[in-house]
Amino acid sequence: GTPWRGERHPPHGETAGSAWTLDGAVREGNVTSLNLSLETQVRPGKVRRELQLVDGQNVIYSRTLIEGFAGQTPLAHHATLAAPAKEGALKISSRPFKLGLVCPHVFSQPQNGEYQTLQPAAEFTDLAQVPSLFKGQPDADCSAFPARRGFADFVGTFNDPADNREPDWVAAVNTEENWLWFALKDPAVMPARMYWMENHGRHGSPWKGRNACIGIEDGCMYYDVGLAESVGENAVNRRGIPTCHDLPGNRPFPVYYIQGVVKVPAGFGKVASVNFAADAVEFVATTGQRVSAPVRTAFVYDGRAG
């Protein structure tokens, strides 16, 4: 929304709402790739996307190459999971984070028929204990969803970009249907993770109070406010955590991301920790149960799925 050096980008950037070009679908060995590209206009450049599948894996390997898009730039992925019917049935956990911060500005505007429950700019160290906006109310548990029906909240967690010896992870276990969704990233490229918790909390058009989902957004950005606020001084980059990248323009800037899913046994519950191997990732539940998924975890660093 806020112009920056003459640039005014659309919501979520041109990549979210523009028509992409199909460059082809290819298969090499056990890897199948869908290749797409988009030429940006507000800031001239090209974004290439390669979505790759490997035989025998329930994983999407995402390669993004940003070309010619010179200058300071926030970026993010936005996975969205539908809410289970039962309250709290989706159990969310992640690698420990350096900073937890409720969106510093008012996220849900009552004049637009939107309402939130969390205290703006409140800090937290545990996603299960986030300060409430309402006086005398206990901390909110944002690690279980859906919760707080009729409200929409937005929180961010941030990690040290230098601490990237292992991939940064997030997991969401659907305890009704017994599956686990996960995402892996390099925190040096994407130190931020946002949680958009939409539980019938937007009553204006086009939502009409119908939507219940959670957006888990990994990237390098300052919440939802865009380029100018991500580039300028803000509550996150004052802590030494970047909220944008300075893209070189003369060479592609790569962003590698993994999303996957694996079945879990009934009663698995929330993920407590994750173990990484070259060709697999193991999820350990608070119950002690373990499940593994075949995945090439080094992809988040080198962009090679096969």
Side-chain angles (χ1 to χ4, degrees):
T2 305
W4 185 79
R5 296 186 178 178
E7 297 179 7
R8 184 185 289 273
H9 294 263
H12 294 278
E14 291 178 79
T15 53
S18 303
W20 287 69
T21 298
L22 173 62
D23 294 328
V26 298
R27 181 174 175 84
E28 297 182 3
N30 65 341
V31 181
T32 302
S33 301
L34 174 67
N35 301 324
L36 310 166
S37 64
L38 172 68
E39 294 190 8
T40 57
Q41 305 300 317
V42 178
R43 184 188 297 180
K46 177 175 280 191
V47 182
R48 299 184 187 273
R49 293 273 285 164
E50 297 178 20
L51 304 178
Q52 299 182 312
L53 304 177
V54 177
D55 293 349
Q57 298 183 12
N58 292 331
V59 171
I60 299 173
Y61 296 93
S62 172
R63 301 177 75 243
T64 303
L65 299 177
I66 308 171
E67 303 174 359
F69 201 83
Q72 292 172 293
T73 307
L75 53 87
H77 297 82
H78 197 329
T80 305
L81 305 180
K86 183 181 177 181
E87 182 163 337
L90 195 70
K91 307 297 184 183
I92 303 157
S93 51
S94 73
R95 169 180 157 175
F97 45 85
K98 178 180 179 180
L99 172 66
L101 189 67
V102 178
C103 182
H105 54 273
V106 175
F107 176 67
S108 296
Q109 299 285 350
Q111 64 267 33
N112 297 331
E114 304 169 358
Y115 306 95
Q116 68 185 70
T117 66
L118 303 180
Q119 177 63 49
E123 294 189 26
F124 59 91
T125 58
D126 186 342
L127 202 59
Q129 295 179 305
V130 181
S132 172
L133 176 65
F134 303 112
K135 186 176 180 179
Q137 291 298 306
D139 290 345
D141 183 0
C142 293
S143 70
F145 191 80
R148 301 170 296 282
R149 185 180 177 92
F151 297 91
D153 284 292
F154 198 40
V155 304
T157 61
F158 304 86
N159 266 321
D160 183 352
D163 186 10
N164 69 335
R165 291 165 296 178
E166 289 186 336
D168 192 344
W169 61 271
V170 62
V173 179
N174 186 312
T175 58
E176 281 192 322
E177 300 176 357
N178 299 318
W179 51 259
L180 181 158
W181 170 90
F182 66 92
L184 306 177
K185 65 176 180 177
D186 178 357
V189 179
M190 293 182 281
R193 176 171 293 126
M194 302 291 156
Y195 297 90
W196 166 49
M197 295 163 284
E198 171 62 55
N199 191 8
H200 306 280
R202 291 183 170 179
H203 304 274
S205 180
W207 309 92
K208 303 295 186 183
R210 296 170 297 182
N211 191 34
C213 67
I214 184 165
I216 300 177
E217 183 172 357
D218 284 317
C220 182
M221 69 293 200
Y222 185 63
Y223 295 89
D224 62 327
V225 285
L227 175 61
E229 293 83 358
S230 294
V231 169
E233 183 178 324
N234 57 56
V236 175
N237 59 29
R238 281 197 295 267
R239 307 291 189 92
I241 302 169
T243 52
C244 69
H245 285 286
D246 196 357
L247 303 188
N250 60 354
R251 63 184 184 276
F253 183 85
V255 182
Y256 306 134
Y257 194 54
I258 292 174
Q259 294 184 65
V261 67
V262 61
K263 291 181 179 179
V264 297
F268 184 83
K270 184 188 293 187
V271 173
S273 61
V274 172
N275 298 317
F276 293 100
D279 58 358
V281 58
E282 181 186 56
F283 300 93
V284 183
T286 53
T287 59
Q289 294 177 291
R290 298 167 182 257
V291 296
S292 295
V295 55
R296 186 176 182 276
T297 57
F299 175 87
V300 300
Y301 304 114
D302 61 24
R304 292 190 293 108

